[in-house]
């Protein structure tokens, strides 16, 4: 029997031709697996809360609950709130929920009334599988007289698996690239099993060292089936006396607009918390599409532009025909393929608007081969050169530079590193 929760074989996600492999899904088991993932995403949404006034050093918790027909309260998810005050829940988007938070002033891991709290009623999650709706965090301001349901006890368990439908968000956590969350296999999971990825890892912007206000922060964003491991050679060769590398960890199979929304949320949280004046972004492949949308939205939401440098590497600005072909042929295609369709609303949206004034875009493209299964004549083994060199993007770019290398190979080239470091020099 097919197990829709089992891992797809790696051969289905060949990293050098990942967008052309929809045909490998012809087996009924693989299609059932993808159907399970896509329908799960279509059924769920996200609720984010921001606790505005949590006291330093006092444990704060966020909770989501529903009220049944008998009036009983059923907790759905519960999680600790970090220093940034943000918590997220992964919930069915066709239902409505109550969400709230409290400060556990007596340290007993229970909301037992009288503690500072706040709540919002009748909240509908933001759907994961549509791109027309946007929503920011729900503000919660804790107050002893404005709390959670009277007489209700919410208990914090020590077992994370019992915390319910919380969605982990990691912003500013210092990690090693060798952390098992960041393996190549988990990167492939992010494409083929994005819902499982969200449940297991959430999303986040991670640091490779403590924040240093004297160095330029640079967020590295991988592509559709990528992982932080894609950046290992570049990160180990980068001159970290001047820059501090961070990276965005997300499921590449998610709708690109939703990934861009998660990235911009993390950017703004870090900017508000750390107060840096400048941030740079380096992106590979589909990560460039995620990043452009996030950079545009960051300037809109912040009211100013704090991202002076953007480097894209081998990005399919014109989309990918194999993604469009997969959408046409499969009933349950990978969600991000819809946004990689050359005619997608997402591509039209990000390319119809320029980058914010003051953002310098350096475009690096790759070319290596001619022809190939489902590929245009000139390509890098995964993306067509014509898609990498969309005229409007070239015209707006500060520089355009090409290398005769493959789609993944370009990330390990010393020449690429030199061009990235040159682009990151901010006066």
């Amino acid at each position: 029997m097919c197990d829709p929760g089992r891992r797809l074989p790696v051969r289905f996600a060949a990293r050098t031709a990942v967008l052309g492999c929809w045909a490998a899904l012809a087996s009924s088991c693989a299609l059932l697996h993808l159907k399970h993932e896509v329908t799960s995403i279509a059924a769920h949404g996200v609720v984010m809360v921001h606790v505005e006034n949590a006291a330093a050093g006092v444990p704060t918790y966020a909770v989501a609950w529903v009220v049944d027909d008998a009036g009983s309260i059923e907790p759905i998810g519960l999680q600790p709130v970090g220093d940034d005050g943000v918590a997220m829940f992964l919930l069915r988007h066709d239902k409505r929920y109550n969400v709230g938070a409290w400060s556990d002033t007596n340290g007993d891991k229970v909301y037992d009334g009288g503690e500072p709290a706040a709540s919002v009623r009748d909240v509908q999650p933001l759907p994961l599988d549509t791109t027309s709706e946007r929503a920011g965090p729900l503000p919660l301001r804790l107050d002893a007289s404005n709390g959670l349901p009277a007489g209700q006890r919410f208990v914090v368990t020590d077992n994370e698996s019992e915390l319910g439908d919380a969605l982990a968000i990691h912003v500013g956590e210092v990690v090693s690239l060798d952390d098992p969350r960041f393996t190549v296999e988990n990167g492939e999971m992010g494409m083929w099993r994005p819902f499982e990825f969200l449940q297991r890892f959430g999303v986040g912007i991670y640091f490779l060292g403590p924040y240093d206000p004297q160095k330029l922060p640079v967020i590295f964003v991988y592509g559709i089936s990528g992982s932080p491991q894609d950046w290992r050679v570049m990160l180990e060769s980068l001159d970290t006396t001047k820059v501090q590398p961070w990276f965005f960890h997300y499921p590449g199979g998610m709708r690109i607009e939703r990934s861009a929304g998660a990235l911009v949320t993390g950017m703004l949280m870090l900017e508000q918390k750390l107060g840096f004046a400048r941030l740079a972004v380096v992106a590979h492949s589909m990560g460039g599409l995620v990043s452009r949308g996030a950079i545009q939205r960051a300037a809109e939401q912040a009211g100013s532009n704090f991202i002076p440098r953007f480097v894209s590497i081998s990005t399919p600005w014109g989309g990918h025909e194999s993604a469009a072909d997969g959408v046409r042929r499969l009933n349950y295609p990978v969600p991000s393929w819809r946004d990689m369709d050359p005619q997608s609303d997402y591509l039209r949206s990000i390319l119809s608007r320029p980058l914010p004034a003051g953002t310098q875009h350096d475009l690096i493209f790759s070319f290596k081969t001619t022809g190939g299964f489902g590929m245009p004549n000139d390509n890098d083994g995964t993306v067509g050169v014509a898609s990498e060199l969309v005229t409007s993007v070239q015209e707006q770019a500060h520089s355009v530079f090409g290398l005769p290398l493959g789609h993944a190979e370009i990330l390990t080239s010393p020449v690429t590193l030199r061009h990235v470091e040159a682009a990151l020099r901010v006066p």
Side-chain angles (χ1 to χ4, degrees), residues 134-308:
R134 294 183 183 178
L138 294 171
L140 295 176
R141 190 160 188 84
L142 307 184
D143 189 288
S145 63
N146 182 25
L148 301 178
Q152 175 63 37
R153 286 171 57 87
F154 292 113
V155 180
V156 182
T157 174
D158 291 327
N159 186 345
E160 290 188 7
S161 66
E162 297 176 3
L163 293 181
D165 296 320
L167 175 60
I169 180 168
H170 306 271
V171 179
E173 180 181 336
V174 178
V175 296
S176 164
L177 274 179
D178 295 318
D179 188 298
R181 288 173 289 182
F182 309 136
T183 63
V184 169
E185 290 76 16
N186 286 338
E188 291 164 351
M189 176 201 294
M191 175 178 174
W192 296 112
R193 308 197 312 278
F195 188 73
E196 181 181 345
F197 183 106
L198 281 178
Q199 290 179 306
R200 291 180 59 180
F201 308 119
V203 295
I205 298 176
Y206 293 87
F207 294 6
L208 292 175
Y211 174 67
D212 186 340
Q214 303 303 315
K215 298 178 182 179
L216 174 70
V218 184
I219 298 179
F220 290 81
V221 185
Y222 53 73
I224 188 169
S225 67
S227 81
Q229 298 298 329
D230 295 356
W231 300 109
R232 180 178 288 276
V233 172
M234 185 175 294
L235 293 177
E236 290 178 346
S237 304
L238 201 64
D239 181 1
T240 53
T241 64
K242 298 180 177 64
V243 302
Q244 52 190 317
W246 303 345
F247 61 85
F248 181 46
H249 193 224
Y250 72 106
M254 282 293 301
R255 296 298 298 264
I256 299 179
E257 194 280 335
R258 291 296 182 241
S259 295
L263 177 56
V264 73
T265 296
M267 287 176 171
L268 293 174
M269 288 169 57
L270 288 168
E271 188 269 337
Q272 292 167 10
K273 179 180 179 179
L274 301 175
F276 51 77
R278 300 175 299 183
L279 171 72
V281 179
V282 178
H284 177 236
S285 194
M286 189 193 80
L289 304 180
V290 174
S291 300
R292 183 176 176 113
I295 292 168
Q296 290 169 327
R297 288 173 62 177
E300 293 168 1
Q301 294 181 31
S304 62
N305 182 23
F306 57 89
I307 305 174

Side-chain angles (χ1 to χ4, degrees), residues 250-410:
Y250 72 106
M254 282 293 301
R255 296 298 298 264
I256 299 179
E257 194 280 335
R258 291 296 182 241
S259 295
L263 177 56
V264 73
T265 296
M267 287 176 171
L268 293 174
M269 288 169 57
L270 288 168
E271 188 269 337
Q272 292 167 10
K273 179 180 179 179
L274 301 175
F276 51 77
R278 300 175 299 183
L279 171 72
V281 179
V282 178
H284 177 236
S285 194
M286 189 193 80
L289 304 180
V290 174
S291 300
R292 183 176 176 113
I295 292 168
Q296 290 169 327
R297 288 173 62 177
E300 293 168 1
Q301 294 181 31
S304 62
N305 182 23
F306 57 89
I307 305 174
R309 297 291 185 269
F310 171 41
V311 182
S312 66
I313 305 170
S314 305
T315 292
W317 296 110
H320 204 294
E321 288 293 346
S322 290
D325 201 18
V327 171
R328 286 191 295 268
R329 292 173 179 264
L330 297 176
N331 291 326
Y332 299 95
V334 173
S336 60
W337 288 0
R338 297 184 183 279
D339 301 316
M340 293 282 285
D341 184 325
Q343 304 303 317
S344 75
D345 291 339
Y346 181 78
L347 287 181
R348 279 196 291 268
S349 173
I350 64 169
L351 298 185
S352 65
R353 297 174 292 142
L355 286 165
T359 296
Q360 172 182 298
H361 177 201
D362 292 273
L363 187 158
I364 301 174
F365 69 98
S366 45
F367 58 96
K368 189 171 185 179
T369 187
T370 299
F373 175 74
M375 296 294 296
N377 283 336
D378 295 316
N379 62 79
D380 66 1
T382 299
V383 174
V385 174
S387 182
E388 296 181 81
L389 294 177
V390 168
T391 300
S392 61
V393 179
Q394 285 194 73
E395 289 176 341
Q396 296 172 27
H398 173 261
S399 71
V400 178
F401 180 78
L403 282 170
L405 298 172
H407 190 71
E409 182 186 11
I410 193 170

